[in-house]
mmCIF file of all heavy atoms in Angstrom:
data_model
loop_
_atom_site.group_PDB
_atom_site.id
_atom_site.type_symbol
_atom_site.label_atom_id
_atom_site.label_comp_id
_atom_site.label_asym_id
_atom_site.label_seq_id
_atom_site.Cartn_x
_atom_site.Cartn_y
_atom_site.Cartn_z
ATOM 1 N N ARG A 1 7.403 -6.203 -7.343
ATOM 2 C CA ARG A 1 7.476 -7.597 -7.024
ATOM 3 C C ARG A 1 6.686 -8.398 -8.177
ATOM 4 O O ARG A 1 7.143 -9.466 -8.586
ATOM 5 C CB ARG A 1 6.822 -7.887 -5.692
ATOM 6 C CG ARG A 1 6.752 -9.376 -5.372
ATOM 7 C CD ARG A 1 5.444 -10.019 -5.552
ATOM 8 N NE ARG A 1 4.491 -9.584 -4.583
ATOM 9 C CZ ARG A 1 3.270 -9.235 -4.803
ATOM 10 N NH1 ARG A 1 2.810 -9.149 -6.066
ATOM 11 N NH2 ARG A 1 2.404 -8.869 -3.829
ATOM 12 N N ALA A 2 5.636 -7.861 -8.681
ATOM 13 C CA ALA A 2 4.909 -8.523 -9.722
ATOM 14 C C ALA A 2 5.720 -8.592 -11.045
ATOM 15 O O ALA A 2 5.620 -9.610 -11.724
ATOM 16 C CB ALA A 2 3.567 -7.777 -10.024
ATOM 17 N N LEU A 3 6.536 -7.583 -11.312
ATOM 18 C CA LEU A 3 7.284 -7.628 -12.481
ATOM 19 C C LEU A 3 8.371 -8.748 -12.439
ATOM 20 O O LEU A 3 8.560 -9.532 -13.395
ATOM 21 C CB LEU A 3 8.048 -6.314 -12.702
ATOM 22 C CG LEU A 3 9.065 -6.251 -13.834
ATOM 23 C CD1 LEU A 3 8.382 -6.442 -15.195
ATOM 24 C CD2 LEU A 3 9.805 -4.927 -13.812
ATOM 25 N N PHE A 4 9.078 -8.922 -11.288
ATOM 26 C CA PHE A 4 10.151 -9.882 -11.154
ATOM 27 C C PHE A 4 9.690 -11.200 -10.619
ATOM 28 O O PHE A 4 10.437 -12.214 -10.755
ATOM 29 C CB PHE A 4 11.254 -9.284 -10.287
ATOM 30 C CG PHE A 4 12.089 -8.227 -10.988
ATOM 31 C CD1 PHE A 4 11.848 -6.898 -10.741
ATOM 32 C CD2 PHE A 4 13.129 -8.644 -11.827
ATOM 33 C CE1 PHE A 4 12.658 -5.994 -11.386
ATOM 34 C CE2 PHE A 4 13.906 -7.682 -12.485
ATOM 35 C CZ PHE A 4 13.658 -6.401 -12.259
ATOM 36 N N GLY A 5 8.526 -11.280 -10.009
ATOM 37 C CA GLY A 5 7.978 -12.522 -9.520
ATOM 38 C C GLY A 5 8.165 -12.797 -8.048
ATOM 39 O O GLY A 5 7.416 -13.579 -7.437
ATOM 40 N N SER A 6 9.074 -12.114 -7.343
ATOM 41 C CA SER A 6 9.292 -12.299 -5.939
ATOM 42 C C SER A 6 10.159 -11.136 -5.403
ATOM 43 O O SER A 6 10.744 -10.391 -6.196
ATOM 44 C CB SER A 6 9.961 -13.608 -5.646
ATOM 45 O OG SER A 6 11.270 -13.627 -6.194
ATOM 46 N N LEU A 7 10.133 -11.009 -4.091
ATOM 47 C CA LEU A 7 11.005 -9.983 -3.457
ATOM 48 C C LEU A 7 12.406 -10.623 -3.142
ATOM 49 O O LEU A 7 12.431 -11.710 -2.686
ATOM 50 C CB LEU A 7 10.369 -9.512 -2.152
ATOM 51 C CG LEU A 7 8.988 -8.777 -2.282
ATOM 52 C CD1 LEU A 7 8.469 -8.443 -0.895
ATOM 53 C CD2 LEU A 7 9.243 -7.473 -3.116
ATOM 54 N N PRO A 8 13.422 -9.843 -3.393
ATOM 55 C CA PRO A 8 14.739 -10.504 -3.307
ATOM 56 C C PRO A 8 15.468 -10.316 -1.905
ATOM 57 O O PRO A 8 16.624 -10.634 -1.766
ATOM 58 C CB PRO A 8 15.593 -9.699 -4.327
ATOM 59 C CG PRO A 8 14.978 -8.347 -4.335
ATOM 60 C CD PRO A 8 13.507 -8.545 -3.990
ATOM 61 N N TYR A 9 14.699 -9.797 -0.946
ATOM 62 C CA TYR A 9 15.303 -9.463 0.336
ATOM 63 C C TYR A 9 14.401 -10.062 1.434
ATOM 64 O O TYR A 9 13.231 -10.387 1.237
ATOM 65 C CB TYR A 9 15.476 -7.967 0.521
ATOM 66 C CG TYR A 9 14.279 -7.199 0.045
ATOM 67 C CD1 TYR A 9 13.103 -7.108 0.761
ATOM 68 C CD2 TYR A 9 14.362 -6.497 -1.132
ATOM 69 C CE1 TYR A 9 12.019 -6.343 0.326
ATOM 70 C CE2 TYR A 9 13.253 -5.747 -1.646
ATOM 71 C CZ TYR A 9 12.089 -5.692 -0.897
ATOM 72 O OH TYR A 9 11.000 -4.980 -1.351
ATOM 73 N N HIS A 10 14.905 -10.149 2.713
ATOM 74 C CA HIS A 10 14.161 -10.668 3.803
ATOM 75 C C HIS A 10 13.444 -9.530 4.557
ATOM 76 O O HIS A 10 12.538 -9.761 5.319
ATOM 77 C CB HIS A 10 15.099 -11.460 4.754
ATOM 78 C CG HIS A 10 16.291 -10.724 5.221
ATOM 79 N ND1 HIS A 10 16.261 -9.685 6.186
ATOM 80 C CD2 HIS A 10 17.570 -10.798 4.763
ATOM 81 C CE1 HIS A 10 17.503 -9.194 6.328
ATOM 82 N NE2 HIS A 10 18.309 -9.886 5.523
ATOM 83 N N ASP A 11 13.884 -8.371 4.368
ATOM 84 C CA ASP A 11 13.224 -7.110 4.866
ATOM 85 C C ASP A 11 13.744 -5.925 4.132
ATOM 86 O O ASP A 11 14.799 -6.015 3.456
ATOM 87 C CB ASP A 11 13.401 -6.975 6.407
ATOM 88 C CG ASP A 11 14.827 -6.764 6.816
ATOM 89 O OD1 ASP A 11 15.421 -5.764 6.531
ATOM 90 O OD2 ASP A 11 15.379 -7.747 7.455
ATOM 91 N N TYR A 12 13.067 -4.835 4.208
ATOM 92 C CA TYR A 12 13.500 -3.646 3.485
ATOM 93 C C TYR A 12 13.289 -2.357 4.359
ATOM 94 O O TYR A 12 12.163 -2.259 4.973
ATOM 95 C CB TYR A 12 12.761 -3.496 2.170
ATOM 96 C CG TYR A 12 13.436 -2.591 1.169
ATOM 97 C CD1 TYR A 12 14.417 -3.017 0.241
ATOM 98 C CD2 TYR A 12 13.164 -1.205 1.173
ATOM 99 C CE1 TYR A 12 15.064 -2.248 -0.619
ATOM 100 C CE2 TYR A 12 13.800 -0.376 0.288
ATOM 101 C CZ TYR A 12 14.763 -0.847 -0.608
ATOM 102 O OH TYR A 12 15.363 0.051 -1.488
ATOM 103 N N THR A 13 14.225 -1.489 4.230
ATOM 104 C CA THR A 13 14.166 -0.189 4.980
ATOM 105 C C THR A 13 14.314 1.016 4.073
ATOM 106 O O THR A 13 15.232 1.150 3.342
ATOM 107 C CB THR A 13 15.233 -0.105 6.090
ATOM 108 O OG1 THR A 13 15.115 -1.218 6.990
ATOM 109 C CG2 THR A 13 15.185 1.224 6.806
ATOM 110 N N PHE A 14 13.284 1.835 4.027
ATOM 111 C CA PHE A 14 13.356 3.162 3.361
ATOM 112 C C PHE A 14 13.746 4.177 4.374
ATOM 113 O O PHE A 14 13.037 4.423 5.317
ATOM 114 C CB PHE A 14 12.030 3.563 2.764
ATOM 115 C CG PHE A 14 11.515 2.638 1.664
ATOM 116 C CD1 PHE A 14 10.610 1.567 2.017
ATOM 117 C CD2 PHE A 14 11.818 2.848 0.364
ATOM 118 C CE1 PHE A 14 10.090 0.761 1.032
ATOM 119 C CE2 PHE A 14 11.315 2.013 -0.637
ATOM 120 C CZ PHE A 14 10.458 0.951 -0.284
ATOM 121 N N ILE A 15 14.893 4.840 4.216
ATOM 122 C CA ILE A 15 15.265 5.987 5.078
ATOM 123 C C ILE A 15 14.911 7.215 4.272
ATOM 124 O O ILE A 15 15.409 7.442 3.147
ATOM 125 C CB ILE A 15 16.736 5.950 5.422
ATOM 126 C CG1 ILE A 15 17.136 4.729 6.239
ATOM 127 C CG2 ILE A 15 17.149 7.220 6.141
ATOM 128 C CD1 ILE A 15 18.608 4.557 6.501
ATOM 129 N N LEU A 16 14.020 8.018 4.797
ATOM 130 C CA LEU A 16 13.472 9.223 4.094
ATOM 131 C C LEU A 16 13.878 10.494 4.861
ATOM 132 O O LEU A 16 13.486 10.647 5.987
ATOM 133 C CB LEU A 16 12.006 9.071 3.983
ATOM 134 C CG LEU A 16 11.253 10.238 3.310
ATOM 135 C CD1 LEU A 16 11.757 10.515 1.903
ATOM 136 C CD2 LEU A 16 9.740 10.030 3.273
ATOM 137 N N HIS A 17 14.660 11.297 4.223
ATOM 138 C CA HIS A 17 15.058 12.607 4.841
ATOM 139 C C HIS A 17 14.244 13.713 4.182
ATOM 140 O O HIS A 17 14.252 13.827 2.976
ATOM 141 C CB HIS A 17 16.580 12.869 4.584
ATOM 142 C CG HIS A 17 17.476 11.950 5.355
ATOM 143 N ND1 HIS A 17 18.792 11.798 5.058
ATOM 144 C CD2 HIS A 17 17.190 11.139 6.426
ATOM 145 C CE1 HIS A 17 19.354 10.944 5.985
ATOM 146 N NE2 HIS A 17 18.374 10.527 6.762
ATOM 147 N N LEU A 18 13.573 14.486 4.917
ATOM 148 C CA LEU A 18 12.816 15.652 4.537
ATOM 149 C C LEU A 18 13.612 16.914 4.811
ATOM 150 O O LEU A 18 13.928 17.205 5.957
ATOM 151 C CB LEU A 18 11.466 15.674 5.218
ATOM 152 C CG LEU A 18 10.591 14.429 5.157
ATOM 153 C CD1 LEU A 18 9.216 14.674 5.778
ATOM 154 C CD2 LEU A 18 10.440 14.020 3.741
ATOM 155 N N THR A 19 14.030 17.557 3.719
ATOM 156 C CA THR A 19 15.002 18.654 3.894
ATOM 157 C C THR A 19 14.465 19.963 3.208
ATOM 158 O O THR A 19 13.336 20.014 2.718
ATOM 159 C CB THR A 19 16.316 18.272 3.196
ATOM 160 O OG1 THR A 19 16.138 18.161 1.758
ATOM 161 C CG2 THR A 19 16.864 16.956 3.714
ATOM 162 N N ASP A 20 15.303 20.952 3.199
ATOM 163 C CA ASP A 20 14.927 22.223 2.624
ATOM 164 C C ASP A 20 15.493 22.388 1.222
ATOM 165 O O ASP A 20 16.548 23.014 1.012
ATOM 166 C CB ASP A 20 15.414 23.363 3.465
ATOM 167 C CG ASP A 20 14.689 23.356 4.864
ATOM 168 O OD1 ASP A 20 13.465 23.235 4.875
ATOM 169 O OD2 ASP A 20 15.407 23.483 5.876
ATOM 170 N N GLY A 21 14.880 21.701 0.233
ATOM 171 C CA GLY A 21 15.300 21.913 -1.143
ATOM 172 C C GLY A 21 16.221 20.824 -1.709
ATOM 173 O O GLY A 21 16.339 20.701 -2.896
ATOM 174 N N ARG A 22 16.901 20.087 -0.838
ATOM 175 C CA ARG A 22 17.871 19.101 -1.376
ATOM 176 C C ARG A 22 17.140 17.868 -1.732
ATOM 177 O O ARG A 22 16.101 17.551 -1.238
ATOM 178 C CB ARG A 22 18.912 18.820 -0.363
ATOM 179 C CG ARG A 22 19.750 20.002 0.038
ATOM 180 C CD ARG A 22 20.848 19.647 1.013
ATOM 181 N NE ARG A 22 20.911 20.559 2.145
ATOM 182 C CZ ARG A 22 21.931 20.572 3.038
ATOM 183 N NH1 ARG A 22 22.834 19.707 2.931
ATOM 184 N NH2 ARG A 22 21.887 21.380 4.034
ATOM 185 N N GLY A 23 17.747 17.047 -2.676
ATOM 186 C CA GLY A 23 17.132 15.840 -3.080
ATOM 187 C C GLY A 23 18.114 14.852 -3.560
ATOM 188 O O GLY A 23 19.282 15.121 -3.760
ATOM 189 N N GLY A 24 17.615 13.576 -3.764
ATOM 190 C CA GLY A 24 18.476 12.533 -4.259
ATOM 191 C C GLY A 24 18.119 11.200 -3.662
ATOM 192 O O GLY A 24 17.341 11.107 -2.765
ATOM 193 N N GLY A 25 18.715 10.168 -4.167
ATOM 194 C CA GLY A 25 18.469 8.876 -3.657
ATOM 195 C C GLY A 25 19.666 8.008 -3.882
ATOM 196 O O GLY A 25 20.527 8.206 -4.733
ATOM 197 N N LEU A 26 19.894 6.982 -2.990
ATOM 198 C CA LEU A 26 20.998 6.011 -3.208
ATOM 199 C C LEU A 26 20.450 4.636 -2.754
ATOM 200 O O LEU A 26 19.936 4.454 -1.670
ATOM 201 C CB LEU A 26 22.182 6.391 -2.327
ATOM 202 C CG LEU A 26 23.455 5.581 -2.665
ATOM 203 C CD1 LEU A 26 23.937 5.767 -4.053
ATOM 204 C CD2 LEU A 26 24.518 5.955 -1.615
ATOM 205 N N GLU A 27 20.706 3.666 -3.633
ATOM 206 C CA GLU A 27 20.201 2.321 -3.377
ATOM 207 C C GLU A 27 21.169 1.501 -2.598
ATOM 208 O O GLU A 27 22.394 1.685 -2.602
ATOM 209 C CB GLU A 27 20.008 1.619 -4.779
ATOM 210 C CG GLU A 27 21.298 1.261 -5.516
ATOM 211 C CD GLU A 27 21.894 2.315 -6.335
ATOM 212 O OE1 GLU A 27 21.386 3.473 -6.315
ATOM 213 O OE2 GLU A 27 22.915 2.080 -7.014
ATOM 214 N N HIS A 28 20.557 0.505 -1.864
ATOM 215 C CA HIS A 28 21.311 -0.453 -1.143
ATOM 216 C C HIS A 28 20.674 -1.805 -1.220
ATOM 217 O O HIS A 28 19.546 -1.896 -1.759
ATOM 218 C CB HIS A 28 21.449 -0.043 0.331
ATOM 219 C CG HIS A 28 22.110 1.290 0.479
ATOM 220 N ND1 HIS A 28 23.457 1.487 0.395
ATOM 221 C CD2 HIS A 28 21.592 2.560 0.660
ATOM 222 C CE1 HIS A 28 23.800 2.776 0.567
ATOM 223 N NE2 HIS A 28 22.673 3.432 0.618
ATOM 224 N N ARG A 29 21.332 -2.849 -0.792
ATOM 225 C CA ARG A 29 20.809 -4.227 -1.087
ATOM 226 C C ARG A 29 19.451 -4.490 -0.470
ATOM 227 O O ARG A 29 18.598 -5.194 -1.035
ATOM 228 C CB ARG A 29 21.816 -5.287 -0.640
ATOM 229 C CG ARG A 29 22.175 -5.356 0.791
ATOM 230 C CD ARG A 29 23.171 -6.469 1.077
ATOM 231 N NE ARG A 29 24.450 -6.171 0.409
ATOM 232 C CZ ARG A 29 25.482 -7.001 0.366
ATOM 233 N NH1 ARG A 29 25.320 -8.207 0.927
ATOM 234 N NH2 ARG A 29 26.605 -6.666 -0.251
#
């Protein structure tokens, strides 16, 4: 937020899956 000056959304959700060895990420608005 400090880099861009403000947050661009009204709320934000991180969905975090804890798995056995798999990894990755995918962005959404």
Side-chain angles (χ1 to χ4, degrees):
R1 181 259 287 136
L3 175 64
F4 284 99
S6 64
L7 297 174
Y9 44 75
H10 53 77
D11 61 70
Y12 197 91
T13 299
F14 297 93
I15 297 174
L16 178 59
H17 290 165
L18 306 185
T19 67
D20 296 312
R22 300 184 226 188
L26 189 63
E27 72 276 5
H28 301 280
R29 62 180 66 187

